[in-house]
Amino acid sequence: MSMTMNEYIEEAEKDLLHTYNRFPIVFDRGEGVYLYDLDGKKYLDYVAGIGVFALGYGNKEYNDAVKAQVDKILHTSNYYYNVPAIEAAKLIKKYSGMDRVFFTNSGAEAIEGAIKTVRKYAYLKDGKTDHEIIAMEHSFHGRTMGALSITGTEKYRAPFEPGIGNIRFAKHNDIDSVKSLINDRTCAIITETIQGEGGIHPSDKAFLEELRKICDEKDILLVFDEIQCGMGRSGEMFAWQGYGVKPDVMTSAKALGCGVPVGAFMMTEKVGQNSLVAGDHGTTYGGNPLGGAAICAVFEQYEKLGVLDNVKEVSKYLYEKLDELTAKHSQIIDHRGVGFIQGLEFNCPVGDIINKALADGLVLINAGTNVIRIMPPLVIKKEHVDEMITILDKVLS
Ligand SMILES: *Cc1c(COP(=O)(O)O)cnc(C)c1O
């Protein structure tokens, strides 16, 4: 079967549930930091599959490691041990400083596990079932019921109420707002270290430090969602490492597998020893050998390619160039972010700009209606910054 791009799109709209307003493009393959559609048109990628393809496309050693695991064994079940998952857990512990790892298949599932962890921790302390979790306004944690219930954007939640209940929303970066919600039923505070979908809002250092202090004083668990901002995107392996504020529980996904769907939630030993036990939680596919092999290959390539150093270096240049663009175009009213998770806020919806950029061969995505999210693969070089700026400047002029 060989059809045109438009014919495929028509088929898709007949067969797939319409839960996305997709751009009218069928991507066919990738190479380095470029994507190609079915017609062979080339695009510079500044979305990276929404923060997934940290290594870009076609990293040979990563691909070979995944292929070798396909030929060896894909799945065994969590009733048995497998080497790739054991090695992947070791690497996650090494880079995160966390002590216990549970593997999932997605970010939302990692969040579900984190929620169960903090509830169980509190339950073991007092035997009660009325514990509250404080989450942040404008946060995003995923689409499953638990993750949705702690997501701060009301329009995502409204049609699906009631959620899991006992969730309170505080203002991100407003410590008084958090304090006003704390009571003796509060069992956890959760925040993205850098808010992604909500418009690229980094947490303030003082805010995270205050959260840590409150949590320590009251034995409340601090949970950082690093699904989007983690895995090197901020310039540190996990964004909280740049703040020097360590969570009790954290989540990862997206770039953790660089294309193979994996996620994880991790915790300190103290939480690990006082929360989920055998029978409390499980998954069929989570922690399968394929995912484990992918995670191991990702960390190996990060070391080999010096990914964190590249992010630190090239993101400074990216920041300067985006600042220049912001000064030049009055439609842009704010520029913020760190590393390769930056945002340009406009005084208007950004849909048209994204469409024009796509026509000119640049893949961009929004974060909320008025913010363009700048989220390239972590291996881009300065020349790719220049290429992006040239196209975006032209589109805005
Ligand atoms: C994408 C994302 C999720 C959800 O991950 P999925 O893999 O899509 O379920 C959760 N939290 C944050 C911060 C995200 O960016």
Side-chain angles (χ1 to χ4, degrees), residues 163-347:
I164 63 168
N166 289 18
I167 309 298
R168 309 280 212 104
F169 288 100
K171 287 192 168 55
H172 182 232
N173 281 338
D174 181 341
I175 199 67
D176 291 333
S177 160
V178 175
K179 281 183 181 163
S180 73
L181 297 177
I182 288 180
N183 58 46
D184 56 11
R185 297 188 304 282
T186 310
C187 70
I189 302 173
I190 179 163
T191 184
E192 294 157 86
T193 319
I194 300 168
Q195 285 191 340
E197 304 294 318
I200 315 295
H201 294 282
S203 295
D204 296 336
K205 190 170 191 309
F207 179 68
L208 296 189
E209 285 169 350
E210 281 287 322
L211 290 184
R212 183 67 273 171
K213 212 169 116 206
I214 295 168
C215 287
D216 285 342
E217 279 165 17
K218 301 187 182 290
D219 197 19
I220 293 168
L221 296 180
L222 183 58
V223 185
F224 288 162
D225 180 347
E226 290 259 346
I227 290 167
Q228 188 160 158
C229 63
M231 288 307 291
R233 191 151 287 282
S234 70
E236 304 292 334
M237 188 61 87
F238 294 103
W240 60 261
Q241 290 162 335
Y243 289 89
V245 177
K246 189 177 174 180
D248 303 297
V249 178
M250 62 172 282
T251 56
S252 182
K254 292 199 164 99
L256 182 63
C258 277
V260 172
V262 294
F265 62 97
M266 310 73 136
M267 61 200 75
T268 61
E269 189 66 13
K270 181 184 90 171
V271 180
Q273 293 299 339
N274 296 285
S275 58
L276 304 178
V277 296
D280 274 342
H281 198 53
T283 158
T284 298
Y285 270 126
N288 65 76
L290 180 69
I295 294 170
C296 292
V298 167
F299 282 116
E300 204 179 298
Q301 290 305 301
Y302 270 48
E303 286 293 351
K304 194 173 162 212
L305 302 173
V307 164
L308 298 184
D309 287 341
N310 187 66
V311 175
K312 283 192 184 114
E313 190 195 321
V314 178
S315 69
K316 271 190 223 138
Y317 185 70
L318 173 68
Y319 203 92
E320 284 166 26
K321 290 285 151 186
L322 288 174
D323 257 0
E324 284 172 30
L325 199 75
T326 304
K328 184 170 168 191
H329 297 280
S330 61
Q331 310 102 289
I332 310 177
I333 56 173
D334 194 22
H335 167 217
R336 51 183 181 255
V338 294
F340 286 163
I341 175 163
Q342 298 190 30
L344 294 174
E345 184 169 341
F346 285 71
N347 60 7

